Amino acid sequence: MLNKILGVIGVVWGSAIIINWILTPAAGNEAYNMGQLLSVVFGVVLAIAGGYTILNAKQSKPD
């Protein structure tokens, strides 16, 4: 159950990073833009890892 919860958190957080990047116009210098781009890459990886975790989480059976 913990894996599913962490997977959902990863998908939500990663999606929020991606949506924020889409809705916020790019402004600033090159370093700022590079940092923003790397945060989007992190968001994509986080969303994919969270989705993978949700799909492959094994449900434990109570005894």
Side-chain angles (χ1 to χ4, degrees):
M1 186 67 174
L2 179 64
N3 284 341
K4 280 191 177 185
I5 293 171
L6 292 175
V8 169
I9 290 171
V11 169
V12 169
W13 194 13
S15 300
I17 292 171
I18 296 167
I19 291 170
N20 184 36
W21 175 68
I22 291 171
L23 297 178
T24 305
N29 57 15
E30 291 182 27
Y32 178 81
N33 289 335
M34 186 57 66
Q36 193 174 22
L37 181 63
L38 288 177
S39 71
V40 171
V41 171
F42 176 71
V44 169
V45 170
L46 193 62
I48 291 172
Y52 179 79
T53 302
I54 291 171
L55 294 176
N56 292 331
K58 295 181 182 176
Q59 191 157 11
S60 60
K61 297 180 183 177
D63 291 333

